[in-house]
């Protein structure tokens, strides 16, 4: 067993209101500069929808992620070394700017400098930030916001659900899906990079790009099934979400987590067995979720703690792993799920799926909202089909997706009964296989957890502090980088809020 630490994130989609604050603050921190006008390390999509870039989930088109060959071996969808070498100068599997969107700016001066006495109101015209030419805005990173783009019927996750999903206004369902780089345990981008510029940090699992080694071959863009690697058109080099590692090293949450209005993000440490990653990525599709959970190690196991010490991990990290909200949501309560586990990258950003107002739906259907069977049958009839959630988070396994929704619904029903009249709904607890203490702890974490409970990140060990300081900021701090060559990127400090 080779024990490794991984900084991971869980997002509770029931709390996302689609305000895009996370996207804006990430943009201002990391990609508000020349060459990255179209780049969003963090974006919030409306589901159903085709996403950003367009149709990124269609791996038959983009050939991202991994697959099993005829002999059951794990291979990149983009092909082996010879196949990638054959298209290194002309890669056909790259999204174009139209798949992302052409960023625009506006001639705002016309609004303040227009002469008086005009019969028509002056209008600011859009101009391309890439060419400077007048343009017509036809797409954007959040074009589908709140179903505004009209592309929900093109969502690949809706295949085979035509009979269940009716695209009439009064029956339409939607939810918001924030996305960042998954910082995978088995990252396809790292394996596809010809120059070895993409790498996964040993100390915390964050996937980064060495700007000095990057030669702009763009194979990482094709290989990433989530399309979260971008090319800076000013420098010609690859860039991606850094998991705000300068903040992580200071024991602070990522900027998207810090500024999240809905407080839906959780950050923490997971221990995993590096030797088990390959085996977990090569199991049959229906076993992928359990296999990935099996890679994670119990932070309360004395043998795991001893292995972490022998591997050189400080005590602060061992303690942080035991207090990790990510471990609780993924492995203890088992209500967090990975985005598209069938890509076999073993993503490390997981999601608590959204739950429709199931208790109200149960009452409206004449069912008992404190009865486990009635709640389960109501879940099967919710406006957000379980099949759709399964296609996103469980490789199509509706039993697992339905089980998670059942736990969330039972938690709500149990807490409501306990709060209103002090009763203990034992049949609900028996139905989900959890104790009263576990349900109440899960409720606290999901609903009312404080800052220090949501973000449990150990600061970089004192022995490595000097080495981190000598790095002089991050690898993007050069010409075209966020610091524009002006020295280390400052860690943004903030006042902690409850």
């Amino acid at each position: 067993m080779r024990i490794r630490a991984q900084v991971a994130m869980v997002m509770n989609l029931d709390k996302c209101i689609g305000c895009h604050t996370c996207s804006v603050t990430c943009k201002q921190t990391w990609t508000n500069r020349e060459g990255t006008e179209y780049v969003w390390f963090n974006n919030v999509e409306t589901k159903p929808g085709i996403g950003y870039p367009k149709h990124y989930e269609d791996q038959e088109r983009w050939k991202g992620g991994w697959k099993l060959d005829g002999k059951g071996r794990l291979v990149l969808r983009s092909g082996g070394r010879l196949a990638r070498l054959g298209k290194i100068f002309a890669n056909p599997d790259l999204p174009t700017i139209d798949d992302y969107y052409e960023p625009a700016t506006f001639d705002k001066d016309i609004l303040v400098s227009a002469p008086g006495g005009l019969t028509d109101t002056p209008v600011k015209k859009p101009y391309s930030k890439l060419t400077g030419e007048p343009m017509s805005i036809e797409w954007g990173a959040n074009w589908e916001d709140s179903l505004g783009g009209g592309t929900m019927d093109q969502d690949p996750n809706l295949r085979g659900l035509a009979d269940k999903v009716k695209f009439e206004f009064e029956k339409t369902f939607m939810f918001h899906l924030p996305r960042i780089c998954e910082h995978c345990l088995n990252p396809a981008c790292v394996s596809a990079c010809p120059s070895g510029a993409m790498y996964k940090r040993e100390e915390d699992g964050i996937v980064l790009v060495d700007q000095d080694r990057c030669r702009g071959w763009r194979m990482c863009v094709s290989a990433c099934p989530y399309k979260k690697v971008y090319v800076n058109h000013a420098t010609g080099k690859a860039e991606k979400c850094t998991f705000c590692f300068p903040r992580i090293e200071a024991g602070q949450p990522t900027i998207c987590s810090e500024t999240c209005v809905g407080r839906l993000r959780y950050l923490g440490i997971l221990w995993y067995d590096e030797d088990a990653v390959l085996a977990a990525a090569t199991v049959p599709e229906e076993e992928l979720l359990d296999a990935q959970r099996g890679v994670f190690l119990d932070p309360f196991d004395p043998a795991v703690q001893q292995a972490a010490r022998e591997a050189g991990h400080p005590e602060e990290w061992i303690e942080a792993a035991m207090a990790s909200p990510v471990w609780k949501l993924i492995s203890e309560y088992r209500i967090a799920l990975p985005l598209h586990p069938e890509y076999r990258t073993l993503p490390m950003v997981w999601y608590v799926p959204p739950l429709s107002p199931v208790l109200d739906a149960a009452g409206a259907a004449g069912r008992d909202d404190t009865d486990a069977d009635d709640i389960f049958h109501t879940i099967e009839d919710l406006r957000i089909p379980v099949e759709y959630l399964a296609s996103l988070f469980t490789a199509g396994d509706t039993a697992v997706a339905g089980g998670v929704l059942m736990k969330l619904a039972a938690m709500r029903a149990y807490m409501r009964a306990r709060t209103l009249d002090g009763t203990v709904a034992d049949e609900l607890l028996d139905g989900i296989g959890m104790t009263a203490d576990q349900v109440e702890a899960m409720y606290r974490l999901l609903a009312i957890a404080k800052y220090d409970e949501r973000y449990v990140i150990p600061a970089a060990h004192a022995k490595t502090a000097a080495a981190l300081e000598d790095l002089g900021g991050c690898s993007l701090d050069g010409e075209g980088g966020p610091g524009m060559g002006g020295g280390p990127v400052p860690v943004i400090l903030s006042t902690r809020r409850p």
Side-chain angles (χ1 to χ4, degrees), residues 275-284 287-288 291-295 344 346:
D275 290 335
V277 169
L278 178 59
T282 53
V283 300
E287 300 175 17
L288 281 169
Q292 180 164 352
R293 278 205 178 104
V295 172
R344 299 180 182 274
L346 278 64

Side-chain angles (χ1 to χ4, degrees), residues 52-72:
Y52 156 82
K54 296 178 181 176
H55 304 287
Y56 73 91
E57 293 164 296
D58 184 0
Q59 303 314 326
E60 295 301 320
R61 167 67 182 88
W62 302 118
K63 299 178 175 60
W66 303 84
K67 66 177 182 179
L68 299 181
D69 65 9
K71 297 182 179 179

Side-chain angles (χ1 to χ4, degrees), residues 165 168-173 356 379 381-385:
V165 178
E168 291 129 16
F169 180 79
E170 71 276 9
K171 297 181 181 178
T172 298
F173 72 91
S356 298
I379 286 174
D381 299 329
L382 290 177
R383 292 174 69 181
I384 301 179

